[in-house]
Amino acid sequence: MIQTVFPVESLEGSITIPGSKSHTIRALLIASLAEGESLLSSPLDSSDTRSCIALCRALGAEITEEDSAWRVQGTGGIVKPVEDEIDVGNSGTSLYLGAGAAALGKKKIVLTGDEQIRSRPVQPLISSLSDLGADAVSVKKNGSAPVRIKGPLKGGKTRIECPTSQYLSSLLLALPLAEGDSEIEVPLLHEKPYVEMTLDWLDRQGIRYENDDFARFRIFGGQRYSAFESLIPGDFSTATFFLCAAAITGSTITLENLDMNDPQGDKEVAEILARMGCAVTIQKKAITISGKAMEGRVIDMNAIPDALPAMAVSACYARGTTELVNVPQARLKETDRIAVMREELSKCGADIEERPDGLVIRHSPLKGGTVWSHRDHRIAMAMAVGALGAERPIAIRDAEAVVVTVPQFFPLLRSLYT
């Protein structure tokens, strides 16, 4: 699908931000491994979370969909045998976090996904699961999916570098249900807020663990998850695009269903835009932003790699030079987002330079043109936001990629048109 987005003079109004993908998937996995029936209210309904539902059902959970809620009958940590491959589609979170859950089973389970998923590295996680008692291998011996896993996890010691935080979150979610205690040494960790989110879920469950400043963890085995009820909070990663839309167009909009007390890392985007010159007001469950003339900054993106596409677009409209730094893991997402954003923004007239760990963008409002999402939802949404301030429309090929996290993205955006 080609979606053409036209420039606008301004945006106005308020929208409700959909539920967090990261919270929804963690809630689904914990509920699926818990004893009893859990209730998830206002979960995100997208292709990624649908992939996680399919994964959880394959592992034995019963999931019933109601109006704005999902009921999950858990397995009590007993993962059932799976004859067919489990296809997680385009969901990297489901692949990585699901691998840990699969390692709790006593029979072979194979996880795979689409072409993008099959190109993403998973070997560090495979090696750690093997250290901890599972039999885990890359089927094609290339360090990527398909992955064949046979448990059960017994516990033990492992050392794992985490260019993606999802490796560590996978272990943290699975190891409380292992037979024995485990120790994880973490010499490298990117995206720390996502691990904080995982630990927050463990805390809610009363799981016992020790955290030595995120460099070493001790997780006590033989524990269990309990059924729960939870309201899924709004997604700050989704809100990023609308915050940047207001910044680029000089508009005032309100984003509802956002709680700055939530551990999501992308809430930092509001603070970054404020430092660049925008006016940001934080309410109890909402954020109001008024776009103002922005000044370029050096921005450390290590904790918020998913915000790189939107911030790269915003930087085109900021005076001076903006440097997005310390985010090499952005190359390991659905696409190499550093290279892709340089390529696609250049097509629209951006003065942009690629570096190994980020981007340098000089003031260069976009001119318009035709770009490709590379079937990456965040690239599609970022280019749509960039089009709002461009001289001419921007046509986005494969714009349907937004269904991965925000199926209603384009209607939500249009609802703010004045």
Side-chain angles (χ1 to χ4, degrees), residues 15-20 232-243 253-262 264 266-267 270 280-289:
I15 58 172
T16 300
I17 298 298
S20 161
I232 303 299
D235 196 325
F236 277 92
S237 296
T238 296
T240 289
F241 297 97
F242 297 98
L243 290 168
I253 63 173
T254 296
L255 308 181
E256 299 176 346
N257 195 32
L258 294 175
D259 182 358
M260 289 295 283
N261 293 317
D262 191 87
Q264 294 177 64
D266 282 347
K267 65 186 179 183
V280 177
T281 303
I282 307 298
Q283 290 116 6
K284 185 176 181 180
K285 291 288 185 179
I287 296 175
T288 297
I289 179 170

Side-chain angles (χ1 to χ4, degrees), residues 7 21 26 32 45 111 155 158 199 203 217 221 247-248 250 256 258 263 336 339 367 374 383 412:
K21 179 183 77 170
R26 283 162 174 77
S32 295
D45 189 352
L111 301 179
T158 191
L199 295 177
D203 292 342
F217 291 85
I248 287 170
E256 299 176 346
L258 294 175
D336 178 343
K367 299 183 182 303
H374 296 250
M383 296 309 301
L412 279 173

Side-chain angles (χ1 to χ4, degrees), residues 332-352:
L332 304 176
K333 301 294 182 178
E334 286 84 340
T335 58
D336 178 343
R337 287 177 176 159
I338 293 174
V340 167
M341 288 308 298
R342 191 268 310 154
E343 177 183 348
E344 300 306 322
L345 285 174
S346 294
K347 292 177 183 177
C348 297
D351 183 353
I352 183 169

Side-chain angles (χ1 to χ4, degrees), residues 11 40 189 308 315 318 346 367:
L11 304 171
L40 314 184
L189 175 61
L308 180 132
S346 294
K367 299 183 182 303

Side-chain angles (χ1 to χ4, degrees), residues 103-366:
L104 296 169
K106 297 180 179 181
K107 299 291 185 180
K108 175 186 69 178
I109 294 174
V110 177
L111 301 179
T112 190
D114 67 10
E115 182 180 359
Q116 288 180 342
I117 289 298
R118 294 195 305 273
S119 69
R120 296 176 73 168
V122 71
Q123 187 59 50
L125 179 57
I126 290 173
S127 297
S128 281
L129 290 173
S130 299
D131 290 343
L132 296 163
D135 178 7
V137 297
S138 168
V139 173
K140 295 185 177 180
K141 298 180 170 61
N142 62 355
S144 298
V147 178
R148 184 174 66 245
I149 303 170
K150 179 178 178 293
L153 285 173
K154 300 182 183 304
K157 296 182 179 180
T158 191
R159 183 178 188 272
I160 183 169
E161 293 191 352
C162 297
T164 169
S165 63
Q166 292 172 348
Y167 295 163
L168 182 54
S169 286
S170 178
L171 298 176
L172 291 172
L173 287 170
L175 287 172
L177 277 62
E179 295 176 7
D181 299 345
S182 303
E183 292 185 12
I184 310 170
E185 183 182 349
V186 189
L188 172 71
L189 175 61
H190 294 323
E191 310 167 353
K192 179 181 170 184
Y194 288 99
V195 177
E196 293 174 330
M197 180 190 297
T198 300
L199 295 177
D200 180 63
W201 276 99
L202 296 186
D203 292 342
R204 298 186 210 181
Q205 284 283 321
I207 296 297
R208 295 181 297 114
Y209 65 90
E210 295 174 359
N211 174 11
D212 183 7
D213 197 27
F214 294 85
R216 189 182 304 273
F217 291 85
R218 180 176 176 83
I219 302 97
F220 299 96
Q223 302 185 71
R224 291 290 181 265
Y225 288 128
S226 302
F228 62 92
E229 295 186 6
S230 179
L231 174 65
I232 303 299
D235 196 325
F236 277 92
S237 296
T238 296
T240 289
F241 297 97
F242 297 98
L243 290 168
C244 290
I248 287 170
T249 59
S251 304
T252 297
I253 63 173
T254 296
L255 308 181
E256 299 176 346
N257 195 32
L258 294 175
D259 182 358
M260 289 295 283
N261 293 317
D262 191 87
Q264 294 177 64
D266 282 347
K267 65 186 179 183
E268 185 184 352
V269 170
E271 299 169 5
I272 291 171
L273 292 174
R275 292 197 298 269
M276 294 177 75
C278 296
V280 177
T281 303
I282 307 298
Q283 290 116 6
K284 185 176 181 180
K285 291 288 185 179
I287 296 175
T288 297
I289 179 170
S290 295
K292 308 288 184 181
M294 291 185 288
E295 297 287 343
R297 291 286 187 273
V298 177
I299 305 170
D300 188 327
M301 303 288 293
N302 188 267
I304 53 171
D306 286 344
L308 180 132
M311 290 308 303
V313 167
S314 301
C316 294
Y317 296 91
R319 293 184 297 217
T321 299
T322 298
E323 298 181 38
L324 307 180
V325 304
N326 194 27
V327 63
Q329 73 270 31
R331 295 188 183 276
L332 304 176
K333 301 294 182 178
E334 286 84 340
T335 58
D336 178 343
R337 287 177 176 159
I338 293 174
V340 167
M341 288 308 298
R342 191 268 310 154
E343 177 183 348
E344 300 306 322
L345 285 174
S346 294
K347 292 177 183 177
C348 297
D351 183 353
I352 183 169
E353 173 188 346
E354 181 178 342
R355 290 184 177 172
D357 70 339
L359 294 164
V360 178
I361 306 108
R362 300 169 187 88
H363 181 249
S364 48
L366 302 183

